[in-house]
Amino acid sequence: MATAIVFDSGVGGLSVFDCIAATLPGLRLLYVADNAYFPYGTKEEGALVARVRDLLFGLTERLHPDLIVVACNTASTVALPALRDALAVPIVGTVPAIKPAAQASVSRVIGLLGTPGTVKRQYTQALIAEFAPDCTVLRHGSAELVEMAERKLRGESIAPSAIDRALAGLIGQPGGERMDTVVLACTHFPLLAAELAAGAPQPLRWIDSGAAIARRVASLLDGTASPRADTPPRHGAVFTARTPAVEKLRPALSLRGLGEIEFMEA
Ligand code: DGL
């Protein structure tokens, strides 16, 4: 049975985990959250690249995965070349879904909601220049929304004002009233899809990368990951810090077959 690591700073990668598990129920998934270094979205680029490279190198040596999914836009938009240099295992990154958003937008005004790191990356700018040159792309970086997604999965309440602030950060910009499509360029944000849709003052199409990543994983593991599971695989979770917050995540993790949690200092 093939094994894939699904990696993020926190619970955001679970939005990608869900898409992969639905597409490939026969694939064993190890969910890795670098909660000791969370959040990634406000970290300096060089330090983040070194952290992610060293962590994934150590995990690969120990766990020998068939494939790694970097289920984090913040890390993927800066660290993919360094990761591919350092590791022999295939790596699937998560990058902002600018291309499908540009294909879908009728008004040609797109919102890009990510972490502060992702929205200002050169890589993101290059995606916009390549795939949405005729669109106005309104960017907003929200570290607060990342925290809200973590709260939601811990079963805690989410401040509606935080959702409003994130939406206002996009819609309040010139042209915002014409925006018809929003790229959820942080894997934490699909976990708040219902709250975002309910808070939006205008109809919006929300686009994330989860389904495309699942398709990519399926094509790379073609033949080794059976699309059907005769015996369901035993998934597992690894966190880099043992904290009270992780204990509160247990119900959300168990729901996904992630009942076994290992703590690994990094
Ligand atoms: N889930 C992450 C992303 O896709 C990062 C969140 C964070 O640690 O700031 O960008």
Side-chain angles (χ1 to χ4, degrees), residues 113 145 162-163 166-167 184 189-190 192-201 204 206:
L113 195 56
L145 218 49
I163 300 288
L167 289 166
L184 296 177
F189 299 168
L192 297 171
E195 290 81 357
L196 286 164
L204 292 167
W206 306 89

Side-chain angles (χ1 to χ4, degrees), residues 154-262:
R154 292 199 296 260
E156 296 168 8
S157 64
I158 309 168
S161 56
I163 300 288
D164 293 346
R165 266 192 294 278
L167 289 166
L170 290 174
I171 295 165
Q173 295 184 45
E177 69 293 342
R178 285 189 296 115
M179 183 175 74
D180 65 355
T181 305
V182 178
V183 180
L184 296 177
C186 169
T187 54
H188 278 74
F189 299 168
L191 300 171
L192 297 171
E195 290 81 357
L196 286 164
Q202 64 208 53
L204 292 167
R205 188 182 292 106
W206 306 89
I207 297 188
D208 65 69
S209 311
I213 291 166
R215 283 195 300 273
R216 179 82 186 125
V217 171
S219 87
L220 283 172
L221 292 178
D222 192 21
T224 44
S226 95
R228 239 172 275 157
D230 299 327
T231 31
R234 264 183 73 187
H235 300 320
V238 178
F239 282 74
T240 55
R242 186 188 287 272
T243 64
V246 178
E247 291 309 313
K248 294 192 186 163
L249 289 173
R250 282 191 188 271
L253 294 168
S254 293
L255 211 76
R256 294 168 164 90
L258 296 169
E260 274 174 45
I261 305 180
E262 192 192 325

Side-chain angles (χ1 to χ4, degrees), residues 1-264:
M1 185 181 283
T3 300
I5 285 179
V6 180
F7 168 75
D8 185 33
S9 59
V11 297
L14 291 175
S15 68
V16 177
F17 177 102
D18 291 344
C19 292
I20 299 171
T23 305
L24 292 166
L27 176 63
R28 179 164 175 256
L29 298 171
L30 296 174
Y31 189 74
V32 179
D34 186 14
N35 61 324
Y37 204 62
F38 171 91
Y40 279 6
T42 51
K43 298 288 191 300
E44 189 272 318
E45 290 191 0
L48 182 59
V49 171
R51 169 77 183 184
V52 173
R53 186 199 52 216
D54 294 351
L55 181 58
L56 289 181
F57 187 82
L59 281 163
T60 304
E61 297 276 282
R62 252 192 64 204
L63 304 170
H64 307 290
D66 297 284
L67 181 141
I68 296 175
V69 178
V70 181
C72 174
N73 292 260
T74 308
S76 299
T77 50
V78 68
L80 283 179
L83 296 179
R84 292 193 171 123
D85 274 355
L87 302 166
V89 60
I91 296 172
V92 178
T94 306
V95 300
I98 303 282
K99 188 180 177 183
Q103 283 164 348
S105 173
V106 175
S107 68
R108 312 314 283 155
V109 181
I110 295 170
L112 178 68
L113 195 56
T115 63
T118 297
V119 298
K120 63 169 196 264
R121 294 261 193 273
Q122 247 179 334
Y123 187 98
T124 305
Q125 186 49 46
L127 282 179
I128 294 170
E130 185 175 355
F131 297 115
D134 65 326
C135 293
T136 301
V137 181
L138 309 175
R139 287 169 240 204
H140 180 64
S142 174
E144 189 182 26
L145 218 49
V146 174
E147 191 48 57
M148 288 303 123
E150 294 281 335
R151 286 183 61 90
K152 181 176 177 179
L153 267 70
R154 292 199 296 260
E156 296 168 8
S157 64
I158 309 168
S161 56
I163 300 288
D164 293 346
R165 266 192 294 278
L167 289 166
L170 290 174
I171 295 165
Q173 295 184 45
E177 69 293 342
R178 285 189 296 115
M179 183 175 74
D180 65 355
T181 305
V182 178
V183 180
L184 296 177
C186 169
T187 54
H188 278 74
F189 299 168
L191 300 171
L192 297 171
E195 290 81 357
L196 286 164
Q202 64 208 53
L204 292 167
R205 188 182 292 106
W206 306 89
I207 297 188
D208 65 69
S209 311
I213 291 166
R215 283 195 300 273
R216 179 82 186 125
V217 171
S219 87
L220 283 172
L221 292 178
D222 192 21
T224 44
S226 95
R228 239 172 275 157
D230 299 327
T231 31
R234 264 183 73 187
H235 300 320
V238 178
F239 282 74
T240 55
R242 186 188 287 272
T243 64
V246 178
E247 291 309 313
K248 294 192 186 163
L249 289 173
R250 282 191 188 271
L253 294 168
S254 293
L255 211 76
R256 294 168 164 90
L258 296 169
E260 274 174 45
I261 305 180
E262 192 192 325
F263 294 94
M264 185 196 88

